[in-house]
Amino acid sequence: MTIEHVPVGGGSTKDLIAQARARQDALASVDALMAQATGTAHDVDDTIELTVDARGKLLRLWLAPAAANWGPDRLGSLLVEVAQVAMREAVQASYNMVALRLGEDMTYLIEQLSGMPAPARDPQADTGITVEEFQRRREERLRETERRTSGATPRSRAGGPADDAGEDDDLDSFDPATLRSDR
């Protein structure tokens, strides 16, 4: 029996240990990131607005005086609907933060392990953009964050240095409201 030695990418053993510890620290911060993410939603008539965190904890509830006219059954139903929209927004915001911290692959793994995929990946959800467009935008944000933290020179889409005139970067025109589930 022959054992083949296959080098593990990433450098020395010390480098690999440092990378593993960094990942462990980042994973430990996922819970804190999810606690920071919030989502806010309102009904069409602007009689209810509420904010929740990614775990569904109600952080803020505002009711217009006209909300009393809905009656208990309709008001209760409306509160649940608005809370669900806010929750989807908070969950998506939390996954966006996690992806910027841990990368897309780890975020997708967390989605799979939690059993709660990112709302933008749900083909049934009306998020205003396709899953592919969401993925493209997230990857651009990740690349931009890496570029900023590494101090690298921006590259144009063609692969050359960005010109001084300033190429229109999708990050500058990205509207987070397009990810809202209530649109």
Side-chain angles (χ1 to χ4, degrees):
M1 178 167 144
T2 305
I3 297 176
E4 186 177 327
H5 293 276
V6 178
V8 178
S12 70
T13 304
K14 287 181 182 181
D15 291 340
L16 293 173
I17 291 171
Q19 288 173 4
R21 285 190 178 135
R23 280 196 183 109
Q24 184 179 16
D25 292 344
L27 283 172
S29 69
V30 168
D31 194 45
L33 287 173
M34 292 191 86
Q36 293 173 3
T38 63
T40 300
H42 57 86
D43 68 316
V44 175
D45 299 318
D46 287 327
T47 56
I48 297 171
E49 183 174 290
L50 55 83
T51 302
V52 298
D53 68 12
R55 295 184 187 122
K57 178 181 176 185
L58 181 63
L59 301 174
R60 184 178 155 273
L61 172 64
W62 176 84
L63 298 172
N69 298 333
W70 288 107
D73 291 337
R74 177 67 183 135
L75 182 58
S77 172
L78 200 54
L79 280 168
V80 169
E81 289 175 33
V82 173
Q84 288 171 338
V85 171
M87 178 70 176
R88 283 192 304 270
E89 183 178 305
V91 167
Q92 185 62 58
S94 72
Y95 282 137
N96 290 347
M97 288 190 287
V98 169
L100 289 172
R101 183 85 182 257
L102 300 179
E104 178 59 30
D105 293 338
M106 287 297 288
T107 302
Y108 185 68
L109 178 63
I110 291 168
E111 291 176 45
Q112 297 303 307
L113 291 172
S114 71
M116 188 169 45
R121 291 190 203 275
D122 183 1
Q124 304 296 324
D126 180 17
T127 59
I129 63 172
T130 64
V131 172
E132 292 79 15
E133 176 66 8
F134 166 78
Q135 186 68 27
R136 185 188 66 76
R137 290 179 183 184
R138 181 186 273 176
E139 287 171 1
E140 286 178 0
R141 288 191 307 273
L142 288 171
R143 281 193 303 272
E144 177 66 17
T145 300
E146 285 177 17
R147 185 191 63 77
R148 286 183 192 152
T149 58
S150 70
T153 304
R155 309 290 288 179
S156 71
R157 284 185 183 83
D163 62 356
D164 290 337
E167 183 176 314
D168 182 25
D169 191 334
D170 286 321
L171 292 174
D172 294 334
S173 63
F174 175 70
D175 180 8
T178 61
L179 297 177
R180 290 187 58 144
S181 299
D182 63 340
R183 298 197 181 203

